Amino acid sequence: MDTNAVLRHRNIILDCLRDGDISIRRRALELSYALVNESNVRELTRELLAFLDVADNEFKLGLTTQICLAAERYAPNKRWHIDTVLRVLKLAGNYVREEMLAAFVRLVSHTPELQAYTASKLYSALQSDISQESLTLSAVWIIGEYGELLVENGLVEEEEKKAVTDADLVDLLESILNSPYANPIIRQFILTAITKISARHIASPTQRDRICEILAGYSTSPELEIQQRSVEFLSLYGQAPEIRAGVLEQMPAPEIKATVLGTVSENRTVGSTRTDIDLVDLISDAPPPANAVAGSTLQDNQSLLEGIFGSSSETAAAASPNPATSQAQTVNDILGLFGSGPSVNGASPAPSAPSYASPISTTSNPLLDLVGATSSPVAPQPQPVPTARPPATAYTAYDKNDLKVTLTPQVSAARPGVVNILAKFTSSGSEAVSNVNFQAAVPKTQQLQMLPMSNPTVAPGATETQQMRVTAPPGAQVRLRLRIGYVVAGQQFQEQVDFSGFPANLTSGGQ
């Protein structure tokens, strides 16, 4: 796949982001992600940010993730990188993954010359909007760590500076604490931030007493984590000043490492697409080699383009087309964006073997590739008649708080090592289970693909589903680490479980 040839049609692709057809907008987004490089990162990021401002909610999670990853990889300087993430937080702060927030915190921690600037921008953003959760979390953390820089330098707004006092900081944080947007995580962040401010030299005795009263008010909170933090922070007030200052000093800058993610709602892998670090590595904490991540970027983009246009690396390596054929193929690829099927020479493209980045498919139809649909080849080879199998067994992976999650594996003797898993979510109580967020990870020797959940709200008596596919060495045991977040009756739950209950011979074709 000639990436440069596709880049020549960049304007057409960007125009498709505004098309009325959602499938065309989705395909244009896929192409836009793959085309970002050092030379065009400013222009393409500007276009993606403009689309983020008007995009449907289903696109926002993938958009924020890809924009942040592009900024992390290709940012011309750290100031531009920080400004880009700040813009994302302002536009879609409720659709930013926690990995992106962690990467932003690492960036600010390792850029001391821009810490005052970042704190100023986040403080101003919070004054305007406290409804974006990720914006609030990042701003509260930065203000808690570097609040003294904000007081000492003031707000930087164009050419003039505006003074900020310790009372202004506490006023803003207390207003968020008492707002309807404050969830348990935000309250934990704010209590920590105001306690840290109280230990800085900028805090006056009046504000220290005020912070102590706020903490005392939450020392009887029904939320255990909030209560524990408040009581522990209050106990620090009885310690010597040097002890309190030592406990509440600035956090050391975290280790810099490449951001590695799993899949997003658009059913495309994000972050590094190397097969050995493709997922959120919950099984092993070893960070991936930085040079390996950087060196695979070009190959990753080409693989994504090939998956979008329905070709494969094997087909590309088989022969080197002449310029006329290459130009005709490029025209077909752009037409394929709009669903136009005929090739220039009138022949249908031959089915090609899929790569890991695309769902299993024996055709070159890109729409089927996106949703993971399968179809039979034009000329199927005779297959042996499979022996009858008993009905697939459902294995319980999680059963707490009225939410039950079962995993039903399906295998084929013709494809050992490939396990299709159907996750089913049911609610056994009288309350609906809402905001269900189901994540999974596998060991590095295995690969995982996930489709979005059918509905993040599980009504009583209803069943919602989510499909997964694990590719493992034949004979290997399928092991999953599951992270499940959900809300029941207004109470939020976040749990992590290890699951290895599938039969040992599953990847060998057994079930």
Side-chain angles (χ1 to χ4, degrees), residues 209-229:
D209 292 342
R210 180 183 174 188
I211 291 172
C212 185
E213 292 177 1
I214 295 174
L215 293 174
Y218 282 92
S219 61
T220 57
S221 171
E223 299 174 17
L224 181 59
E225 180 68 24
I226 300 296
Q227 181 186 128
Q228 180 177 348
R229 289 191 183 220

Side-chain angles (χ1 to χ4, degrees), residues 171-190:
D171 285 343
L172 177 61
L173 295 179
E174 186 178 19
S175 67
I176 300 172
L177 195 60
N178 297 327
S179 74
Y181 299 105
N183 58 35
I185 301 298
I186 291 177
R187 284 193 282 269
Q188 293 171 27
F189 272 54
I190 292 178

Side-chain angles (χ1 to χ4, degrees), residues 257-473:
K257 58 182 180 179
T259 304
V260 182
L261 299 175
T263 57
V264 294
S265 60
E266 278 82 73
N267 192 29
R268 285 291 178 189
T269 54
V270 295
S272 171
T273 53
R274 283 180 54 201
T275 56
D276 59 333
I277 56 174
D278 193 40
L279 305 167
V280 183
D281 190 4
L282 299 179
I283 302 295
S284 172
D285 295 330
N291 58 349
V293 175
S296 64
T297 300
L298 180 59
Q299 181 179 358
D300 297 340
N301 287 346
Q302 284 191 331
S303 298
L304 180 55
L305 286 171
E306 290 163 359
I308 290 172
F309 288 130
S311 62
S312 71
S313 56
E314 296 174 2
T315 305
S320 177
N322 57 49
T325 304
S326 177
Q327 182 178 7
Q329 183 62 39
T330 301
V331 173
N332 283 335
D333 291 341
I334 298 300
L335 291 176
L337 180 65
F338 302 97
S340 300
S343 59
V344 172
N345 59 7
S348 300
S352 57
S355 62
Y356 162 68
S358 301
I360 295 178
S361 175
T362 53
T363 74
S364 60
N365 188 328
L367 290 178
L368 292 179
D369 291 341
L370 275 181
V371 299
T374 59
S375 59
S376 302
V378 175
Q381 297 296 325
Q383 297 290 339
V385 178
T387 58
R389 290 185 177 275
T393 304
Y395 299 86
T396 300
Y398 181 84
D399 192 0
K400 290 183 181 179
N401 306 314
D402 297 335
L403 177 64
K404 182 177 182 180
V405 182
T406 62
L407 303 179
T408 304
Q410 293 182 340
V411 296
S412 170
R415 295 183 59 85
V418 177
V419 182
N420 294 315
I421 302 173
L422 180 64
K424 294 184 178 180
F425 305 81
T426 56
S427 173
S428 58
S430 59
E431 297 277 349
V433 180
S434 60
N435 298 332
V436 178
N437 182 18
F438 182 72
Q439 299 175 328
V442 295
K444 289 184 177 181
T445 56
Q446 303 175 14
Q447 299 171 0
L448 174 68
Q449 292 173 291
M450 298 180 70
L451 288 177
M453 188 174 175
S454 58
N455 190 340
T457 299
V458 184
T463 299
E464 304 298 338
T465 61
Q466 186 167 5
Q467 294 182 350
M468 300 184 290
R469 174 175 297 159
V470 175
T471 304

